[in-house]
Amino acid sequence: MRAKRCVRVCARLILLVIVTATALLAPPPPLFAAGAPLADPGLPATVPAIGRTWPVGLRPRVLRGWEPPATVYGPGHRGVDLAAPAGTPVRAVAPGRVAFAGRVAGRGVISVDLTGTGDPPLRTTYEPVTAAVEEGEEVEPGEVIGTVDASGSHCTTTCVHWGLRRGEGYLNPLSLLPPWLLPRGPSRLLPLT
């Protein structure tokens, strides 16, 4: 009788270890409504996780996530808004070349074509920012490319709108970040019995 109980307890412990290891090693659940990316037909929709840092802070709060529109001109949110006080350094998430640094519709904008991401290359955008780089400059991951502007944001508080495009198609910029940089959901305790 005692041997059967020991076998059951050991089997449960082994199962617990397997379930826990699976949960810890599994990729995090999607953070936001994903839907199909609004991308050009014929262009690869996959995004390599080449990012090495967040654009602002260590793990900034996402104020609004990626919400791809159903049609080219439909409503949606073609990027993510990251909480950041005015003056916060904005960093390049991956290596690339500055394609644009200037003002568009009164807002400071920086665009970076990411190195080795195909033709046309993936392009990250950051706004509203005051540029610390010029068009044509090469940038490395983590390099400061500007600072968050105090005005020009479409958020209720200061933020950086971070976008990702390939050609005319918009993609989820969070897909550039490897799983270890993304926040995980809350820890879950499993029952022993």
Side-chain angles (χ1 to χ4, degrees):
M1 185 67 134
R2 188 172 177 179
K4 284 184 181 180
R5 185 168 187 252
C6 183
V7 169
R8 278 193 314 215
V9 168
C10 287
R12 287 181 181 161
L13 286 174
I14 290 170
L15 181 61
L16 177 65
V17 168
I18 291 170
V19 169
T20 302
T22 302
L24 291 174
L25 296 175
L31 294 174
F32 313 101
L38 180 62
D40 290 339
L43 291 177
T46 58
V47 176
I50 59 171
R52 295 293 167 250
T53 183
W54 283 89
V56 290
L58 295 176
R59 279 196 168 86
R61 186 165 51 104
V62 177
L63 300 173
R64 185 172 177 194
W66 161 251
E67 299 166 16
T71 63
V72 175
Y73 299 107
H77 192 238
R78 293 160 174 85
V80 295
D81 293 335
L82 305 174
T88 299
V90 177
R91 301 179 185 283
V93 298
R97 180 183 301 272
V98 177
F100 179 81
R103 301 197 72 71
V104 175
R107 294 183 185 152
V109 176
I110 299 173
S111 297
V112 177
D113 287 343
L114 303 182
T115 304
T117 58
D119 186 28
L122 290 171
R123 175 177 283 183
T124 55
T125 58
Y126 312 85
E127 68 174 89
V129 296
T130 299
V133 292
E134 295 179 2
E135 191 174 320
E137 277 187 53
E138 296 285 334
V139 294
E140 293 298 320
E143 183 177 335
V144 174
I145 59 174
T147 55
V148 177
D149 283 345
S151 63
S153 171
H154 61 257
C155 301
T156 57
T157 182
T158 56
C159 74
V160 169
H161 178 83
W162 177 33
L164 178 65
R165 295 174 67 162
R166 183 183 298 278
E168 296 301 312
Y170 292 86
L171 301 164
N172 184 351
L174 292 175
S175 58
L176 283 172
L177 299 177
W180 59 269
L181 269 176
L182 295 170
R184 295 194 179 269
S187 299
R188 294 174 285 211
L189 298 176
L190 301 173
L192 289 174
T193 58

mmCIF file with all atom_site columns, all heavy atoms in Angstrom, residues 92-100 110-115 121-126 133 137-139 145 163-165:
data_model
loop_
_atom_site.group_PDB
_atom_site.id
_atom_site.type_symbol
_atom_site.label_atom_id
_atom_site.label_alt_id
_atom_site.label_comp_id
_atom_site.label_asym_id
_atom_site.label_entity_id
_atom_site.label_seq_id
_atom_site.pdbx_PDB_ins_code
_atom_site.Cartn_x
_atom_site.Cartn_y
_atom_site.Cartn_z
_atom_site.occupancy
_atom_site.B_iso_or_equiv
_atom_site.pdbx_formal_charge
_atom_site.auth_seq_id
_atom_site.auth_comp_id
_atom_site.auth_asym_id
_atom_site.auth_atom_id
_atom_site.pdbx_PDB_model_num
ATOM 1   N N   . ALA A 1 92  ? 17.806 53.004 -31.145 1.00 0.00 ? 92  ALA A N   1
ATOM 2   C CA  . ALA A 1 92  ? 17.591 52.101 -32.276 1.00 0.00 ? 92  ALA A CA  1
ATOM 3   C C   . ALA A 1 92  ? 17.443 50.691 -31.718 1.00 0.00 ? 92  ALA A C   1
ATOM 4   O O   . ALA A 1 92  ? 18.218 50.284 -30.853 1.00 0.00 ? 92  ALA A O   1
ATOM 5   C CB  . ALA A 1 92  ? 18.774 52.172 -33.234 1.00 0.00 ? 92  ALA A CB  1
ATOM 6   N N   . VAL A 1 93  ? 16.442 49.944 -32.183 1.00 0.00 ? 93  VAL A N   1
ATOM 7   C CA  . VAL A 1 93  ? 16.225 48.587 -31.666 1.00 0.00 ? 93  VAL A CA  1
ATOM 8   C C   . VAL A 1 93  ? 17.103 47.563 -32.359 1.00 0.00 ? 93  VAL A C   1
ATOM 9   O O   . VAL A 1 93  ? 17.343 46.487 -31.821 1.00 0.00 ? 93  VAL A O   1
ATOM 10  C CB  . VAL A 1 93  ? 14.746 48.162 -31.758 1.00 0.00 ? 93  VAL A CB  1
ATOM 11  C CG1 . VAL A 1 93  ? 13.873 49.064 -30.928 1.00 0.00 ? 93  VAL A CG1 1
ATOM 12  C CG2 . VAL A 1 93  ? 14.271 48.108 -33.184 1.00 0.00 ? 93  VAL A CG2 1
ATOM 13  N N   . ALA A 1 94  ? 17.585 47.873 -33.551 1.00 0.00 ? 94  ALA A N   1
ATOM 14  C CA  . ALA A 1 94  ? 18.389 46.935 -34.336 1.00 0.00 ? 94  ALA A CA  1
ATOM 15  C C   . ALA A 1 94  ? 19.323 47.746 -35.226 1.00 0.00 ? 94  ALA A C   1
ATOM 16  O O   . ALA A 1 94  ? 19.127 48.947 -35.419 1.00 0.00 ? 94  ALA A O   1
ATOM 17  C CB  . ALA A 1 94  ? 17.469 46.043 -35.174 1.00 0.00 ? 94  ALA A CB  1
ATOM 18  N N   . PRO A 1 95  ? 20.341 47.112 -35.807 1.00 0.00 ? 95  PRO A N   1
ATOM 19  C CA  . PRO A 1 95  ? 21.253 47.865 -36.673 1.00 0.00 ? 95  PRO A CA  1
ATOM 20  C C   . PRO A 1 95  ? 20.578 48.311 -37.957 1.00 0.00 ? 95  PRO A C   1
ATOM 21  O O   . PRO A 1 95  ? 19.703 47.620 -38.485 1.00 0.00 ? 95  PRO A O   1
ATOM 22  C CB  . PRO A 1 95  ? 22.371 46.853 -36.971 1.00 0.00 ? 95  PRO A CB  1
ATOM 23  C CG  . PRO A 1 95  ? 21.767 45.517 -36.750 1.00 0.00 ? 95  PRO A CG  1
ATOM 24  C CD  . PRO A 1 95  ? 20.706 45.702 -35.696 1.00 0.00 ? 95  PRO A CD  1
ATOM 25  N N   . GLY A 1 96  ? 20.986 49.477 -38.436 1.00 0.00 ? 96  GLY A N   1
ATOM 26  C CA  . GLY A 1 96  ? 20.398 49.973 -39.674 1.00 0.00 ? 96  GLY A CA  1
ATOM 27  C C   . GLY A 1 96  ? 20.982 51.298 -40.104 1.00 0.00 ? 96  GLY A C   1
ATOM 28  O O   . GLY A 1 96  ? 21.987 51.758 -39.572 1.00 0.00 ? 96  GLY A O   1
ATOM 29  N N   . ARG A 1 97  ? 20.305 51.897 -41.076 1.00 0.00 ? 97  ARG A N   1
ATOM 30  C CA  . ARG A 1 97  ? 20.711 53.201 -41.617 1.00 0.00 ? 97  ARG A CA  1
ATOM 31  C C   . ARG A 1 97  ? 19.515 54.141 -41.506 1.00 0.00 ? 97  ARG A C   1
ATOM 32  O O   . ARG A 1 97  ? 18.398 53.778 -41.863 1.00 0.00 ? 97  ARG A O   1
ATOM 33  C CB  . ARG A 1 97  ? 21.124 53.057 -43.073 1.00 0.00 ? 97  ARG A CB  1
ATOM 34  C CG  . ARG A 1 97  ? 21.560 54.374 -43.711 1.00 0.00 ? 97  ARG A CG  1
ATOM 35  C CD  . ARG A 1 97  ? 21.910 54.215 -45.190 1.00 0.00 ? 97  ARG A CD  1
ATOM 36  N NE  . ARG A 1 97  ? 22.983 53.267 -45.411 1.00 0.00 ? 97  ARG A NE  1
ATOM 37  C CZ  . ARG A 1 97  ? 24.293 53.569 -45.405 1.00 0.00 ? 97  ARG A CZ  1
ATOM 38  N NH1 . ARG A 1 97  ? 24.672 54.805 -45.202 1.00 0.00 ? 97  ARG A NH1 1
ATOM 39  N NH2 . ARG A 1 97  ? 25.193 52.643 -45.627 1.00 0.00 ? 97  ARG A NH2 1
ATOM 40  N N   . VAL A 1 98  ? 19.766 55.355 -41.026 1.00 0.00 ? 98  VAL A N   1
ATOM 41  C CA  . VAL A 1 98  ? 18.702 56.347 -40.883 1.00 0.00 ? 98  VAL A CA  1
ATOM 42  C C   . VAL A 1 98  ? 18.214 56.736 -42.275 1.00 0.00 ? 98  VAL A C   1
ATOM 43  O O   . VAL A 1 98  ? 18.976 57.240 -43.099 1.00 0.00 ? 98  VAL A O   1
ATOM 44  C CB  . VAL A 1 98  ? 19.184 57.583 -40.096 1.00 0.00 ? 98  VAL A CB  1
ATOM 45  C CG1 . VAL A 1 98  ? 18.086 58.637 -40.011 1.00 0.00 ? 98  VAL A CG1 1
ATOM 46  C CG2 . VAL A 1 98  ? 19.665 57.187 -38.709 1.00 0.00 ? 98  VAL A CG2 1
ATOM 47  N N   . ALA A 1 99  ? 16.938 56.467 -42.543 1.00 0.00 ? 99  ALA A N   1
ATOM 48  C CA  . ALA A 1 99  ? 16.330 56.798 -43.831 1.00 0.00 ? 99  ALA A CA  1
ATOM 49  C C   . ALA A 1 99  ? 15.723 58.194 -43.813 1.00 0.00 ? 99  ALA A C   1
ATOM 50  O O   . ALA A 1 99  ? 15.650 58.856 -44.849 1.00 0.00 ? 99  ALA A O   1
ATOM 51  C CB  . ALA A 1 99  ? 15.254 55.772 -44.188 1.00 0.00 ? 99  ALA A CB  1
ATOM 52  N N   . PHE A 1 100 ? 15.282 58.646 -42.626 1.00 0.00 ? 100 PHE A N   1
ATOM 53  C CA  . PHE A 1 100 ? 14.680 59.970 -42.497 1.00 0.00 ? 100 PHE A CA  1
ATOM 54  C C   . PHE A 1 100 ? 14.814 60.429 -41.059 1.00 0.00 ? 100 PHE A C   1
ATOM 55  O O   . PHE A 1 100 ? 14.637 59.649 -40.125 1.00 0.00 ? 100 PHE A O   1
ATOM 56  C CB  . PHE A 1 100 ? 13.198 59.927 -42.880 1.00 0.00 ? 100 PHE A CB  1
ATOM 57  C CG  . PHE A 1 100 ? 12.512 61.257 -42.743 1.00 0.00 ? 100 PHE A CG  1
ATOM 58  C CD1 . PHE A 1 100 ? 12.624 62.221 -43.744 1.00 0.00 ? 100 PHE A CD1 1
ATOM 59  C CD2 . PHE A 1 100 ? 11.779 61.565 -41.604 1.00 0.00 ? 100 PHE A CD2 1
ATOM 60  C CE1 . PHE A 1 100 ? 12.003 63.460 -43.611 1.00 0.00 ? 100 PHE A CE1 1
ATOM 61  C CE2 . PHE A 1 100 ? 11.156 62.795 -41.461 1.00 0.00 ? 100 PHE A CE2 1
ATOM 62  C CZ  . PHE A 1 100 ? 11.279 63.750 -42.471 1.00 0.00 ? 100 PHE A CZ  1
ATOM 63  N N   . ILE A 1 110 ? 11.722 59.824 -36.897 1.00 0.00 ? 110 ILE A N   1
ATOM 64  C CA  . ILE A 1 110 ? 12.947 59.155 -37.332 1.00 0.00 ? 110 ILE A CA  1
ATOM 65  C C   . ILE A 1 110 ? 12.546 57.817 -37.920 1.00 0.00 ? 110 ILE A C   1
ATOM 66  O O   . ILE A 1 110 ? 11.752 57.078 -37.327 1.00 0.00 ? 110 ILE A O   1
ATOM 67  C CB  . ILE A 1 110 ? 13.936 58.933 -36.170 1.00 0.00 ? 110 ILE A CB  1
ATOM 68  C CG1 . ILE A 1 110 ? 14.351 60.273 -35.554 1.00 0.00 ? 110 ILE A CG1 1
ATOM 69  C CG2 . ILE A 1 110 ? 15.160 58.147 -36.645 1.00 0.00 ? 110 ILE A CG2 1
ATOM 70  C CD1 . ILE A 1 110 ? 15.200 60.134 -34.302 1.00 0.00 ? 110 ILE A CD1 1
ATOM 71  N N   . SER A 1 111 ? 13.093 57.489 -39.098 1.00 0.00 ? 111 SER A N   1
ATOM 72  C CA  . SER A 1 111 ? 12.890 56.190 -39.739 1.00 0.00 ? 111 SER A CA  1
ATOM 73  C C   . SER A 1 111 ? 14.244 55.538 -39.938 1.00 0.00 ? 111 SER A C   1
ATOM 74  O O   . SER A 1 111 ? 15.192 56.196 -40.371 1.00 0.00 ? 111 SER A O   1
ATOM 75  C CB  . SER A 1 111 ? 12.211 56.347 -41.099 1.00 0.00 ? 111 SER A CB  1
ATOM 76  O OG  . SER A 1 111 ? 10.930 56.895 -40.948 1.00 0.00 ? 111 SER A OG  1
ATOM 77  N N   . VAL A 1 112 ? 14.321 54.246 -39.625 1.00 0.00 ? 112 VAL A N   1
ATOM 78  C CA  . VAL A 1 112 ? 15.571 53.503 -39.766 1.00 0.00 ? 112 VAL A CA  1
ATOM 79  C C   . VAL A 1 112 ? 15.309 52.243 -40.596 1.00 0.00 ? 112 VAL A C   1
ATOM 80  O O   . VAL A 1 112 ? 14.459 51.431 -40.232 1.00 0.00 ? 112 VAL A O   1
ATOM 81  C CB  . VAL A 1 112 ? 16.154 53.108 -38.382 1.00 0.00 ? 112 VAL A CB  1
ATOM 82  C CG1 . VAL A 1 112 ? 17.427 52.277 -38.551 1.00 0.00 ? 112 VAL A CG1 1
ATOM 83  C CG2 . VAL A 1 112 ? 16.419 54.339 -37.526 1.00 0.00 ? 112 VAL A CG2 1
ATOM 84  N N   . ASP A 1 113 ? 16.039 52.105 -41.721 1.00 0.00 ? 113 ASP A N   1
ATOM 85  C CA  . ASP A 1 113 ? 15.986 50.883 -42.522 1.00 0.00 ? 113 ASP A CA  1
ATOM 86  C C   . ASP A 1 113 ? 16.894 49.858 -41.860 1.00 0.00 ? 113 ASP A C   1
ATOM 87  O O   . ASP A 1 113 ? 18.089 50.115 -41.676 1.00 0.00 ? 113 ASP A O   1
ATOM 88  C CB  . ASP A 1 113 ? 16.459 51.147 -43.954 1.00 0.00 ? 113 ASP A CB  1
ATOM 89  C CG  . ASP A 1 113 ? 15.439 51.938 -44.761 1.00 0.00 ? 113 ASP A CG  1
ATOM 90  O OD1 . ASP A 1 113 ? 14.272 52.006 -44.352 1.00 0.00 ? 113 ASP A OD1 1
ATOM 91  O OD2 . ASP A 1 113 ? 15.827 52.485 -45.811 1.00 0.00 ? 113 ASP A OD2 1
ATOM 92  N N   . LEU A 1 114 ? 16.338 48.697 -41.512 1.00 0.00 ? 114 LEU A N   1
ATOM 93  C CA  . LEU A 1 114 ? 17.085 47.694 -40.763 1.00 0.00 ? 114 LEU A CA  1
ATOM 94  C C   . LEU A 1 114 ? 17.966 46.850 -41.679 1.00 0.00 ? 114 LEU A C   1
ATOM 95  O O   . LEU A 1 114 ? 17.518 46.347 -42.716 1.00 0.00 ? 114 LEU A O   1
ATOM 96  C CB  . LEU A 1 114 ? 16.124 46.813 -39.976 1.00 0.00 ? 114 LEU A CB  1
ATOM 97  C CG  . LEU A 1 114 ? 15.200 47.581 -39.004 1.00 0.00 ? 114 LEU A CG  1
ATOM 98  C CD1 . LEU A 1 114 ? 14.320 46.628 -38.222 1.00 0.00 ? 114 LEU A CD1 1
ATOM 99  C CD2 . LEU A 1 114 ? 16.009 48.465 -38.064 1.00 0.00 ? 114 LEU A CD2 1
ATOM 100 N N   . THR A 1 115 ? 19.203 46.690 -41.278 1.00 0.00 ? 115 THR A N   1
ATOM 101 C CA  . THR A 1 115 ? 20.213 45.980 -42.047 1.00 0.00 ? 115 THR A CA  1
ATOM 102 C C   . THR A 1 115 ? 19.857 44.503 -42.212 1.00 0.00 ? 115 THR A C   1
ATOM 103 O O   . THR A 1 115 ? 19.442 43.845 -41.264 1.00 0.00 ? 115 THR A O   1
ATOM 104 C CB  . THR A 1 115 ? 21.582 46.096 -41.341 1.00 0.00 ? 115 THR A CB  1
ATOM 105 O OG1 . THR A 1 115 ? 21.878 47.470 -41.156 1.00 0.00 ? 115 THR A OG1 1
ATOM 106 C CG2 . THR A 1 115 ? 22.686 45.430 -42.134 1.00 0.00 ? 115 THR A CG2 1
ATOM 107 N N   . PRO A 1 121 ? 13.688 46.694 -47.331 1.00 0.00 ? 121 PRO A N   1
ATOM 108 C CA  . PRO A 1 121 ? 14.030 46.346 -45.949 1.00 0.00 ? 121 PRO A CA  1
ATOM 109 C C   . PRO A 1 121 ? 12.904 46.693 -44.984 1.00 0.00 ? 121 PRO A C   1
ATOM 110 O O   . PRO A 1 121 ? 12.024 47.502 -45.298 1.00 0.00 ? 121 PRO A O   1
ATOM 111 C CB  . PRO A 1 121 ? 15.261 47.210 -45.673 1.00 0.00 ? 121 PRO A CB  1
ATOM 112 C CG  . PRO A 1 121 ? 15.081 48.395 -46.559 1.00 0.00 ? 121 PRO A CG  1
ATOM 113 C CD  . PRO A 1 121 ? 14.403 47.879 -47.804 1.00 0.00 ? 121 PRO A CD  1
ATOM 114 N N   . LEU A 1 122 ? 12.953 46.069 -43.814 1.00 0.00 ? 122 LEU A N   1
ATOM 115 C CA  . LEU A 1 122 ? 12.064 46.490 -42.734 1.00 0.00 ? 122 LEU A CA  1
ATOM 116 C C   . LEU A 1 122 ? 12.486 47.891 -42.322 1.00 0.00 ? 122 LEU A C   1
ATOM 117 O O   . LEU A 1 122 ? 13.677 48.215 -42.311 1.00 0.00 ? 122 LEU A O   1
ATOM 118 C CB  . LEU A 1 122 ? 12.172 45.543 -41.545 1.00 0.00 ? 122 LEU A CB  1
ATOM 119 C CG  . LEU A 1 122 ? 11.602 44.145 -41.753 1.00 0.00 ? 122 LEU A CG  1
ATOM 120 C CD1 . LEU A 1 122 ? 11.968 43.245 -40.574 1.00 0.00 ? 122 LEU A CD1 1
ATOM 121 C CD2 . LEU A 1 122 ? 10.092 44.200 -41.929 1.00 0.00 ? 122 LEU A CD2 1
ATOM 122 N N   . ARG A 1 123 ? 11.506 48.729 -41.978 1.00 0.00 ? 123 ARG A N   1
ATOM 123 C CA  . ARG A 1 123 ? 11.782 50.105 -41.572 1.00 0.00 ? 123 ARG A CA  1
ATOM 124 C C   . ARG A 1 123 ? 11.049 50.379 -40.259 1.00 0.00 ? 123 ARG A C   1
ATOM 125 O O   . ARG A 1 123 ? 9.841  50.231 -40.172 1.00 0.00 ? 123 ARG A O   1
ATOM 126 C CB  . ARG A 1 123 ? 11.313 51.089 -42.623 1.00 0.00 ? 123 ARG A CB  1
ATOM 127 C CG  . ARG A 1 123 ? 11.472 52.554 -42.213 1.00 0.00 ? 123 ARG A CG  1
ATOM 128 C CD  . ARG A 1 123 ? 11.069 53.490 -43.306 1.00 0.00 ? 123 ARG A CD  1
ATOM 129 N NE  . ARG A 1 123 ? 12.156 53.518 -44.297 1.00 0.00 ? 123 ARG A NE  1
ATOM 130 C CZ  . ARG A 1 123 ? 12.150 54.291 -45.367 1.00 0.00 ? 123 ARG A CZ  1
ATOM 131 N NH1 . ARG A 1 123 ? 11.129 55.084 -45.621 1.00 0.00 ? 123 ARG A NH1 1
ATOM 132 N NH2 . ARG A 1 123 ? 13.160 54.267 -46.212 1.00 0.00 ? 123 ARG A NH2 1
ATOM 133 N N   . THR A 1 124 ? 11.802 50.781 -39.225 1.00 0.00 ? 124 THR A N   1
ATOM 134 C CA  . THR A 1 124 ? 11.186 51.196 -37.971 1.00 0.00 ? 124 THR A CA  1
ATOM 135 C C   . THR A 1 124 ? 10.991 52.698 -37.996 1.00 0.00 ? 124 THR A C   1
ATOM 136 O O   . THR A 1 124 ? 11.774 53.428 -38.604 1.00 0.00 ? 124 THR A O   1
ATOM 137 C CB  . THR A 1 124 ? 12.047 50.812 -36.750 1.00 0.00 ? 124 THR A CB  1
ATOM 138 O OG1 . THR A 1 124 ? 13.356 51.355 -36.908 1.00 0.00 ? 124 THR A OG1 1
ATOM 139 C CG2 . THR A 1 124 ? 12.126 49.311 -36.575 1.00 0.00 ? 124 THR A CG2 1
ATOM 140 N N   . THR A 1 125 ? 9.929  53.164 -37.321 1.00 0.00 ? 125 THR A N   1
ATOM 141 C CA  . THR A 1 125 ? 9.673  54.599 -37.208 1.00 0.00 ? 125 THR A CA  1
ATOM 142 C C   . THR A 1 125 ? 9.419  54.940 -35.749 1.00 0.00 ? 125 THR A C   1
ATOM 143 O O   . THR A 1 125 ? 8.892  54.116 -34.991 1.00 0.00 ? 125 THR A O   1
ATOM 144 C CB  . THR A 1 125 ? 8.452  55.028 -38.049 1.00 0.00 ? 125 THR A CB  1
ATOM 145 O OG1 . THR A 1 125 ? 7.312  54.281 -37.628 1.00 0.00 ? 125 THR A OG1 1
ATOM 146 C CG2 . THR A 1 125 ? 8.706  54.801 -39.522 1.00 0.00 ? 125 THR A CG2 1
ATOM 147 N N   . TYR A 1 126 ? 9.816  56.136 -35.382 1.00 0.00 ? 126 TYR A N   1
ATOM 148 C CA  . TYR A 1 126 ? 9.679  56.617 -34.007 1.00 0.00 ? 126 TYR A CA  1
ATOM 149 C C   . TYR A 1 126 ? 9.167  58.050 -34.071 1.00 0.00 ? 126 TYR A C   1
ATOM 150 O O   . TYR A 1 126 ? 9.716  58.881 -34.782 1.00 0.00 ? 126 TYR A O   1
ATOM 151 C CB  . TYR A 1 126 ? 11.032 56.609 -33.296 1.00 0.00 ? 126 TYR A CB  1
ATOM 152 C CG  . TYR A 1 126 ? 11.818 55.328 -33.456 1.00 0.00 ? 126 TYR A CG  1
ATOM 153 C CD1 . TYR A 1 126 ? 12.636 55.122 -34.572 1.00 0.00 ? 126 TYR A CD1 1
ATOM 154 C CD2 . TYR A 1 126 ? 11.745 54.324 -32.509 1.00 0.00 ? 126 TYR A CD2 1
ATOM 155 C CE1 . TYR A 1 126 ? 13.358 53.957 -34.729 1.00 0.00 ? 126 TYR A CE1 1
ATOM 156 C CE2 . TYR A 1 126 ? 12.469 53.144 -32.657 1.00 0.00 ? 126 TYR A CE2 1
ATOM 157 C CZ  . TYR A 1 126 ? 13.271 52.966 -33.764 1.00 0.00 ? 126 TYR A CZ  1
ATOM 158 O OH  . TYR A 1 126 ? 13.987 51.802 -33.924 1.00 0.00 ? 126 TYR A OH  1
ATOM 159 N N   . VAL A 1 133 ? 20.334 62.129 -34.806 1.00 0.00 ? 133 VAL A N   1
ATOM 160 C CA  . VAL A 1 133 ? 21.027 61.513 -35.940 1.00 0.00 ? 133 VAL A CA  1
ATOM 161 C C   . VAL A 1 133 ? 20.592 62.223 -37.217 1.00 0.00 ? 133 VAL A C   1
ATOM 162 O O   . VAL A 1 133 ? 19.613 62.962 -37.219 1.00 0.00 ? 133 VAL A O   1
ATOM 163 C CB  . VAL A 1 133 ? 20.706 60.001 -36.050 1.00 0.00 ? 133 VAL A CB  1
ATOM 164 C CG1 . VAL A 1 133 ? 21.314 59.230 -34.882 1.00 0.00 ? 133 VAL A CG1 1
ATOM 165 C CG2 . VAL A 1 133 ? 19.199 59.764 -36.129 1.00 0.00 ? 133 VAL A CG2 1
ATOM 166 N N   . GLU A 1 137 ? 23.057 58.116 -41.662 1.00 0.00 ? 137 GLU A N   1
ATOM 167 C CA  . GLU A 1 137 ? 23.925 57.586 -40.599 1.00 0.00 ? 137 GLU A CA  1
ATOM 168 C C   . GLU A 1 137 ? 23.618 56.126 -40.317 1.00 0.00 ? 137 GLU A C   1
ATOM 169 O O   . GLU A 1 137 ? 22.467 55.711 -40.323 1.00 0.00 ? 137 GLU A O   1
ATOM 170 C CB  . GLU A 1 137 ? 23.722 58.371 -39.290 1.00 0.00 ? 137 GLU A CB  1
ATOM 171 C CG  . GLU A 1 137 ? 24.487 59.638 -39.185 1.00 0.00 ? 137 GLU A CG  1
ATOM 172 C CD  . GLU A 1 137 ? 24.371 60.258 -37.801 1.00 0.00 ? 137 GLU A CD  1
ATOM 173 O OE1 . GLU A 1 137 ? 24.645 59.566 -36.793 1.00 0.00 ? 137 GLU A OE1 1
ATOM 174 O OE2 . GLU A 1 137 ? 23.988 61.438 -37.738 1.00 0.00 ? 137 GLU A OE2 1
ATOM 175 N N   . GLU A 1 138 ? 24.673 55.354 -40.057 1.00 0.00 ? 138 GLU A N   1
ATOM 176 C CA  . GLU A 1 138 ? 24.524 53.975 -39.600 1.00 0.00 ? 138 GLU A CA  1
ATOM 177 C C   . GLU A 1 138 ? 24.295 54.009 -38.091 1.00 0.00 ? 138 GLU A C   1
ATOM 178 O O   . GLU A 1 138 ? 24.942 54.787 -37.383 1.00 0.00 ? 138 GLU A O   1
ATOM 179 C CB  . GLU A 1 138 ? 25.790 53.162 -39.905 1.00 0.00 ? 138 GLU A CB  1
ATOM 180 C CG  . GLU A 1 138 ? 26.081 53.004 -41.377 1.00 0.00 ? 138 GLU A CG  1
ATOM 181 C CD  . GLU A 1 138 ? 25.179 51.999 -42.058 1.00 0.00 ? 138 GLU A CD  1
ATOM 182 O OE1 . GLU A 1 138 ? 24.663 51.081 -41.390 1.00 0.00 ? 138 GLU A OE1 1
ATOM 183 O OE2 . GLU A 1 138 ? 24.978 52.139 -43.280 1.00 0.00 ? 138 GLU A OE2 1
ATOM 184 N N   . VAL A 1 139 ? 23.371 53.170 -37.600 1.00 0.00 ? 139 VAL A N   1
ATOM 185 C CA  . VAL A 1 139 ? 23.105 53.101 -36.164 1.00 0.00 ? 139 VAL A CA  1
ATOM 186 C C   . VAL A 1 139 ? 23.190 51.652 -35.706 1.00 0.00 ? 139 VAL A C   1
ATOM 187 O O   . VAL A 1 139 ? 22.947 50.723 -36.471 1.00 0.00 ? 139 VAL A O   1
ATOM 188 C CB  . VAL A 1 139 ? 21.728 53.703 -35.801 1.00 0.00 ? 139 VAL A CB  1
ATOM 189 C CG1 . VAL A 1 139 ? 21.699 55.192 -36.070 1.00 0.00 ? 139 VAL A CG1 1
ATOM 190 C CG2 . VAL A 1 139 ? 20.595 53.009 -36.536 1.00 0.00 ? 139 VAL A CG2 1
ATOM 191 N N   . ILE A 1 145 ? 19.173 57.674 -30.742 1.00 0.00 ? 145 ILE A N   1
ATOM 192 C CA  . ILE A 1 145 ? 18.919 58.335 -32.022 1.00 0.00 ? 145 ILE A CA  1
ATOM 193 C C   . ILE A 1 145 ? 18.118 59.623 -31.848 1.00 0.00 ? 145 ILE A C   1
ATOM 194 O O   . ILE A 1 145 ? 17.961 60.386 -32.792 1.00 0.00 ? 145 ILE A O   1
ATOM 195 C CB  . ILE A 1 145 ? 18.212 57.384 -33.010 1.00 0.00 ? 145 ILE A CB  1
ATOM 196 C CG1 . ILE A 1 145 ? 16.884 56.884 -32.443 1.00 0.00 ? 145 ILE A CG1 1
ATOM 197 C CG2 . ILE A 1 145 ? 19.128 56.222 -33.383 1.00 0.00 ? 145 ILE A CG2 1
ATOM 198 C CD1 . ILE A 1 145 ? 16.054 56.046 -33.416 1.00 0.00 ? 145 ILE A CD1 1
ATOM 199 N N   . GLY A 1 163 ? 6.642  52.266 -34.904 1.00 0.00 ? 163 GLY A N   1
ATOM 200 C CA  . GLY A 1 163 ? 6.029  51.552 -36.015 1.00 0.00 ? 163 GLY A CA  1
ATOM 201 C C   . GLY A 1 163 ? 7.023  50.685 -36.756 1.00 0.00 ? 163 GLY A C   1
ATOM 202 O O   . GLY A 1 163 ? 8.236  50.810 -36.589 1.00 0.00 ? 163 GLY A O   1
ATOM 203 N N   . LEU A 1 164 ? 6.480  49.795 -37.593 1.00 0.00 ? 164 LEU A N   1
ATOM 204 C CA  . LEU A 1 164 ? 7.299  48.916 -38.418 1.00 0.00 ? 164 LEU A CA  1
ATOM 205 C C   . LEU A 1 164 ? 6.608  48.739 -39.758 1.00 0.00 ? 164 LEU A C   1
ATOM 206 O O   . LEU A 1 164 ? 5.401  48.475 -39.809 1.00 0.00 ? 164 LEU A O   1
ATOM 207 C CB  . LEU A 1 164 ? 7.484  47.550 -37.735 1.00 0.00 ? 164 LEU A CB  1
ATOM 208 C CG  . LEU A 1 164 ? 8.278  46.504 -38.518 1.00 0.00 ? 164 LEU A CG  1
ATOM 209 C CD1 . LEU A 1 164 ? 9.731  46.940 -38.711 1.00 0.00 ? 164 LEU A CD1 1
ATOM 210 C CD2 . LEU A 1 164 ? 8.218  45.166 -37.798 1.00 0.00 ? 164 LEU A CD2 1
ATOM 211 N N   . ARG A 1 165 ? 7.375  48.886 -40.835 1.00 0.00 ? 165 ARG A N   1
ATOM 212 C CA  . ARG A 1 165 ? 6.833  48.737 -42.184 1.00 0.00 ? 165 ARG A CA  1
ATOM 213 C C   . ARG A 1 165 ? 7.780  47.915 -43.041 1.00 0.00 ? 165 ARG A C   1
ATOM 214 O O   . ARG A 1 165 ? 8.974  47.869 -42.789 1.00 0.00 ? 165 ARG A O   1
ATOM 215 C CB  . ARG A 1 165 ? 6.679  50.104 -42.851 1.00 0.00 ? 165 ARG A CB  1
ATOM 216 C CG  . ARG A 1 165 ? 5.684  51.011 -42.200 1.00 0.00 ? 165 ARG A CG  1
ATOM 217 C CD  . ARG A 1 165 ? 5.696  52.364 -42.832 1.00 0.00 ? 165 ARG A CD  1
ATOM 218 N NE  . ARG A 1 165 ? 5.194  52.277 -44.201 1.00 0.00 ? 165 ARG A NE  1
ATOM 219 C CZ  . ARG A 1 165 ? 4.766  53.312 -44.886 1.00 0.00 ? 165 ARG A CZ  1
ATOM 220 N NH1 . ARG A 1 165 ? 4.787  54.502 -44.357 1.00 0.00 ? 165 ARG A NH1 1
ATOM 221 N NH2 . ARG A 1 165 ? 4.327  53.162 -46.109 1.00 0.00 ? 165 ARG A NH2 1
#
